[in-house]
Amino acid sequence: MAKIIPFKAVRAPKHKANLVPSRSYEDYDFRDLEAQLAYNPFSFLQIINPGYKFHKNVSGAERFQLVKNRYLEFKEDKTLIQDEQPCLYLYKIKTRNNSFCGIIAGTSSQDYKDDLIKKHEDTLEKREQLFTQYLKTVGFNAEPVLLTYPDNDQIATTLEKIMQLPAEYEFTTTDRVSHFLWVVNEENLISSIQSYFQDLGSVYIADGHHRSSSSNLLTDQLARENPEHTGKEPYNFFMSYLIPESDLKIYEFNRLVKDLNGLDKESFLMKLDKWFRIENRGAELYKPSKKHHFGMYLDGDFYSLYLRKSIYEFTDALSSLDTQILHKIVLEPILGITDLRNDKRIEYGYGKHNVIKMKNLIDEGEFSVGFSLIPVTIEEMKAIADAGLTMPPKSTYIEPKLRSGLTIYEF
């Protein structure tokens, strides 16, 4: 019984819709960020990078307060305006190869607690606490959590009907991605959409585990501080973008390791031989195409590694996940990497050309060995979430990647 609610979004007026939203802050390299800050005074980056105004790097509580100040200035200048009534928002993203369409809505922290919003990744407590402090100071959330739900004909038909109407926003960004936003403010239509989602049962976090867990922590904090807490306050919900499973695109992360943990090439291959049937593919660019098959690049050669299933023990959904297999029988026991998040000897890469990039980095001596995998499937992701298990870090690279500041949710 997944609950969604309409909310009064804070967003740009139509004539500035292409100027305010930005990609996630981490997506920008230094030159890109500087250009955006120098030449677009309306970019949401101005809010989340408030030190730029003072030519100073700021962090922690000082930065959080300045973010709030910049946000209030954007509202005072009417660069951001709050809708007068609670709405749902239909948001369509169209790239060169894919199209994504879903609903931006408030989702329930109680559903998160009750595991109706299911998780498949671990979160870092330090990062959770920091982001909770940020949310409490600034009083808004500007980037939705990406949730996915089983394909549903009633929802799909309803969204198609809405898209027959003119969009409130329609613009294309410099990365050649087109964005469309429809404002859904008719009460009967909102009620229908809510009832369809209530009939779904569970929904799944695709991207945004730290955002959702921090929002849940904020709910608990503000509830304790509010003697008249009812459970209906805005802080009991967090902004999400809900799309059907068929729209979700999941890509793999490859693994690159800086050294062989003191082993020479032959000794390393002999240790791998216990677990894999190994074939040297030479200069042939090899990418795995089946579950439990892995690609490896080492010392100028590509290898295929086929798991010896007769000796590997499959016990649950997690144990059959390729990223978990690689961690448990190669990265940890052979290469000595126990902390996949923080060990500086391992890095991750994604993208369709990443095997070539992996080869180049190893040929240049920056890394010693690289492993390529096939993408995790939505069925694997759901099975792990349903079992209450968590994937190793960097198991999935998921699209769509959402923009900050398109719609803003205030607590």
Side-chain angles (χ1 to χ4, degrees), residues 255 272 274-276 294 307 312-313 315-316 318-340 390 392:
R255 276 84 168 116
L272 291 181
K274 173 185 176 181
W275 296 103
F276 300 98
F294 302 82
L307 181 68
Y312 180 83
E313 186 179 5
T315 57
D316 54 26
L318 181 61
S319 69
S320 68
L321 194 71
D322 284 347
T323 52
Q324 178 74 359
I325 292 169
L326 190 67
H327 175 218
K328 285 302 179 185
I329 67 178
V330 179
L331 298 178
E332 185 173 14
I334 299 176
L335 294 176
I337 296 170
T338 57
D339 186 347
L340 294 175
T390 54

Side-chain angles (χ1 to χ4, degrees), residues 171-226:
F171 61 91
T172 300
T173 45
T174 54
D175 52 2
R176 299 183 182 180
V177 177
S178 296
H179 304 266
F180 307 83
L181 187 81
W182 288 263
V183 178
V184 182
N185 53 21
E186 184 186 324
E187 289 187 10
N188 289 340
L189 185 53
I190 290 172
S191 296
S192 296
I193 295 171
Q194 287 178 303
S195 68
Y196 299 150
F197 275 96
Q198 282 188 322
D199 291 341
L200 286 178
S202 299
V203 295
Y204 295 80
I205 299 175
D207 196 16
H209 283 80
H210 281 93
R211 270 169 279 146
S212 51
S213 61
S214 299
S215 296
N216 180 54
L217 289 175
L218 181 69
T219 296
D220 292 342
Q221 279 191 25
L222 296 181
R224 287 194 299 269
E225 295 170 8
N226 182 4

